Amino acid sequence: MQLRSGLFITLEGGEGVGKTTQQALLAGRLQKEGYTCLCTREPGGTVLGQKLRALLLHGDPIEPLAELLLYAADRAEHVQTRIHPALAAGQVVVCDRFTDSTLAYQGYGRGLDLNLIRQVNQLATGNLQPHLTLWLDLPPQLGLKRACSRTTSPAGPASLPGDRMEQAHLSFHQRLYQGFQELAAAEPQRIVRIDAQGSPQEVAERIWAVVKSRLAQG
Ligand code: Z5A
């Protein structure tokens, strides 16, 4: 099934809230319903992005402003070469993290000015905004516990164990959590809170109810 102008969905939240798990479940559900889906992520949704991802998550410490600009470079390449073409082809794009992560991590987490980040986000995206953002709401302690179990999983980690963000102090993750709460409160039309507690299947059903209703709006 093709949508006239595509649908751009982003998954957001702190560490280990289940974004990657839910992205796969949502894509499976969409495909079953006949939609063509692009599953992608930031950072790392392009060849350039994979190189930037390695620098950002596993390289030497980076100054907050330089870090912000590297995320923006990843995003500019990603939007132009992957997201826009998929939307133009009428696909559903499901992206693991996007601009709200920058506000949460570089803004609430690292302390950069939120208005500066908004300007950089606008530049990198050419003002492209997600149609729907699913904020997976899980207390940071629970997310970190899940993330730790993932990094020791025999199935292998989604990102390498103990990356720079995961090693940050709990207070950093609490600031992120507050950030996502404030972002969701400020844009209730776009950002929908999803209770991320319960089994993956239970969370997937909550997500599907929201996506299905969004698809029904055309
Ligand atoms: N970042 C940034 O700073 N600025 C930006 O602008 C952007 C990103 C775009 C990207 O990491 C990093 O980049 C991120 C922010 C920063 N910081 N870090 N680190 P990422 O997105 O690749 O990784 P992550 O955010 O840390 O995600 P994650 O740890 O991969 O978690 P997740 O994708 O949300 O969860 P998961 O992998 O699906 O699940 C984690 C574990 O929990 C796993 O073992 C699952 O099997 C398990 N799980 C999943 N769901 C459940 C439920 N419902 N119950 C129990 N267990 C579950």
Side-chain angles (χ1 to χ4, degrees), residues 14-21 42-43 53 57 71 75 96-98 101-102 105-106 146-147 149-150 158-159 163 165-166 196 198-200 203:
E15 314 296 303
V17 296
K19 298 179 306 304
T20 311
T21 303
E42 289 194 359
R53 182 181 175 93
L57 301 188
Y71 279 111
R75 183 161 301 138
D96 187 342
R97 296 194 181 282
F98 197 60
S101 279
T102 322
Y105 281 79
Q106 280 62 56
R146 283 188 190 172
S149 73
R150 179 215 62 212
S159 48
D163 65 35
M165 298 289 191
E166 280 175 13
S199 71
V203 180

Side-chain angles (χ1 to χ4, degrees), residues 30-173:
L30 284 162
Q31 279 153 8
K32 205 170 136 202
E33 299 289 328
Y35 293 95
T36 308
C37 218
L38 169 68
C39 276
T40 187
R41 68 172 177 180
E42 289 194 359
T46 62
V47 174
L48 171 67
Q50 281 164 25
K51 293 178 184 162
L52 293 172
R53 182 181 175 93
L55 283 175
L56 281 161
L57 301 188
H58 307 293
D60 293 330
I62 303 171
E63 280 300 308
L65 180 60
E67 185 182 62
L68 170 68
L69 295 173
L70 288 175
Y71 279 111
D74 169 70
R75 183 161 301 138
E77 178 80 0
H78 191 209
V79 166
Q80 287 303 323
T81 65
R82 298 210 68 205
I83 298 178
H84 268 314
L87 293 175
Q91 298 182 10
V92 182
V93 176
V94 184
C95 187
D96 187 342
R97 296 194 181 282
F98 197 60
T99 45
D100 296 303
S101 279
T102 322
L103 288 162
Y105 281 79
Q106 280 62 56
Y108 289 86
R110 299 275 194 238
L112 289 181
D113 181 72
L114 292 176
N115 284 328
L116 170 74
I117 296 175
R118 286 197 177 93
Q119 285 173 7
V120 172
N121 276 346
Q122 275 178 6
L123 184 68
T125 60
N127 281 330
L128 176 73
Q129 287 231 355
H131 298 111
L132 173 65
T133 294
L134 302 161
W135 167 42
L136 300 195
D137 178 3
L138 192 71
Q141 293 91 332
L142 292 182
L144 289 169
K145 221 168 165 185
R146 283 188 190 172
C148 284
S149 73
R150 179 215 62 212
T151 52
T152 54
S153 151
S159 48
L160 296 176
D163 65 35
R164 292 196 301 113
M165 298 289 191
E166 280 175 13
Q167 287 163 0
H169 197 268
L170 182 61
S171 62
F172 176 84
H173 295 282

